[in-house]
């Protein structure tokens, strides 16, 4: 009796092992390993693509808004005040605005539309913008003098035209970014004090005149202005890296990226 029970239990264990053996062999088969490898690769590439597109999208939104603002202000100044000496500031705003818009549109087509040619053009435009920003820093003394001329142009227009709203908004952005106030530097005394930052105390009424700040803004500029300058450089580098990765994902065939070279399929 005991022998029969032992034999039956051994037979049941053998049958169970036979049932489990094919399943484990199927799970560990090279074909299933390949499927698992491809699936995980698809997930990783999808996540990487989404992150890269998100960085490009943020860049495009910022550059579209700023580009439209530059272009709008430049066209407004050129159309309304053609006889005032602007020091070519209005032309620079128009040119920079157009380049920023073209860059943002190209990046949107290449990133969201999955167009490799547009994305490659976007990378080239980013390199050009980075080179232009580096050139601005190298030629910072000339740039600073141009900024002073442009500020004097805006200041003169705002006083003589009894408060142009577009010029007033531009001056307000300059005053808050540079933490300065007009040509005199005294809030409440300068004719355009209402475009200056609101003082929180008595000493805050005395600020630096904007021409003295702008004359060395690229060297010893206010923290906010320098933060925008260096932040833009970091954003362009991050966007260029994201665009390069996304371009590689678009150009390289999916099967070539995911199919390992040392696995066999039987």
């Amino acid at each position: 009796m005991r022998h029969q029970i032992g034999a039956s239990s051994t037979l049941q264990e053998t049958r169970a092992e036979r049932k489990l053996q094919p399943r484990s062999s199927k799970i560990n088969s090279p074909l299933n390993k390949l499927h698992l490898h491809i699936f995980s690769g698809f997930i990783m590439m999808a996540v990487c693509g989404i992150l890269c597109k998100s960085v490009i999208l943020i860049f495009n939104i910022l550059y579209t808004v700023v580009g439209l603002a530059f272009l709008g202000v430049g066209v407004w100044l050129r159309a309304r005040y053609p006889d005032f000496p602007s020091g070519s500031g209005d032309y620079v705003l128009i040119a920079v605005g157009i380049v920023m818009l073209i860059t943002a549109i190209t990046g949107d087509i290449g990133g969201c539309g999955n167009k490799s040619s547009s994305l490659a053009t976007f990378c080239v435009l980013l390199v050009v913008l980075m080179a232009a920003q580096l050139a601005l820093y190298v030629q910072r003394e000339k740039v600073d003098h141009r900024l002073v001329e442009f500020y004097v142009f805006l200041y003169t227009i705002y006083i003589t035209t009894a408060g142009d709203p577009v010029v007033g908004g531009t001056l307000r952005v300059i005053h808050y970014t540079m933490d300065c106030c007009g040509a005199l530097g005294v809030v409440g005394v300068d004719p355009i004090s209402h475009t200056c930052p609101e003082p929180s105390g008595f000493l805050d009424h005395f600020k630096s005149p904007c021409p003295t700040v702008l004359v060395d803004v690229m060297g010893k500029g206010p923290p906010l202005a320098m933060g925008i300058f260096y932040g833009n450089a970091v954003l362009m580098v991050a966007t260029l890296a994201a665009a390069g990765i996304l371009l590689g994902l678009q150009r390289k065939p999916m099967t070539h990226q995911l199919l390992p070279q040392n696995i066999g399929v039987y």
Side-chain angles (χ1 to χ4, degrees), residues 43 49-50 63 111 126 210:
I43 297 299
I50 291 174
Y63 263 54
L126 283 176
C210 287

Side-chain angles (χ1 to χ4, degrees), residues 21-115:
Q21 185 175 2
R23 293 180 182 178
S24 62
S25 61
K26 289 182 180 179
I27 294 175
N28 296 323
S29 66
L31 184 59
N32 283 331
K33 288 182 179 180
L34 177 62
H35 290 165
L36 182 61
H37 175 81
I38 293 177
F39 178 75
S40 61
F42 269 114
I43 297 299
M44 293 179 61
M45 291 178 62
V47 172
C48 182
I50 291 174
L51 292 177
C52 292
K53 288 184 178 182
S54 300
V55 174
I56 295 174
L57 180 62
I58 294 173
F59 176 88
N60 291 339
I61 292 175
L62 292 176
Y63 263 54
T64 299
V65 174
V66 177
L68 286 173
F70 281 3
L71 181 60
V73 173
V75 171
W76 177 269
L77 294 175
R78 182 77 302 208
R80 290 292 300 272
Y81 311 105
D83 298 329
F84 282 81
S86 62
S88 303
D90 47 359
Y91 291 111
V92 172
L93 286 177
I94 293 173
V96 172
I98 291 175
V99 172
M100 293 179 72
L101 287 176
I102 292 175
T103 304
I105 293 172
T106 306
D108 187 62
I109 296 174
C112 298
N114 295 324
K115 303 292 184 180

Side-chain angles (χ1 to χ4, degrees), residues 201-214:
F202 176 75
L203 294 178
D204 288 338
H205 285 77
F206 302 94
K207 296 184 176 296
S208 301
C210 287
T212 60
V213 175
L214 292 172

Side-chain angles (χ1 to χ4, degrees), residues 95-202:
V96 172
I98 291 175
V99 172
M100 293 179 72
L101 287 176
I102 292 175
T103 304
I105 293 172
T106 306
D108 187 62
I109 296 174
C112 298
N114 295 324
K115 303 292 184 180
S116 298
S117 58
S118 299
L119 197 59
T121 305
F122 178 65
C123 293
V124 173
L125 291 174
L126 283 176
V127 173
V128 172
L129 289 175
M130 293 170 63
Q133 182 164 345
L134 180 61
L136 288 177
Y137 186 78
V138 172
Q139 301 291 330
R140 52 186 176 273
E141 293 183 359
K142 295 181 179 179
V143 174
D144 292 340
H145 289 294
R146 290 290 185 180
L147 289 175
V148 173
E149 292 179 3
F150 184 64
Y151 180 81
V152 172
F153 163 69
L154 295 175
Y155 188 89
T156 305
I157 287 178
Y158 194 72
I159 294 177
T160 56
T161 58
D164 187 301
V166 175
V167 178
T170 306
L171 288 171
R172 186 181 297 273
V173 171
I174 295 175
H175 292 158
Y176 277 82
T177 304
M178 302 298 172
D179 193 24
C180 59
C181 182
L184 302 178
V186 181
V187 180
V189 177
D190 198 283
I192 61 172
S193 295
H194 58 281
T195 63
C196 299
E198 291 292 334
S200 58
F202 176 75

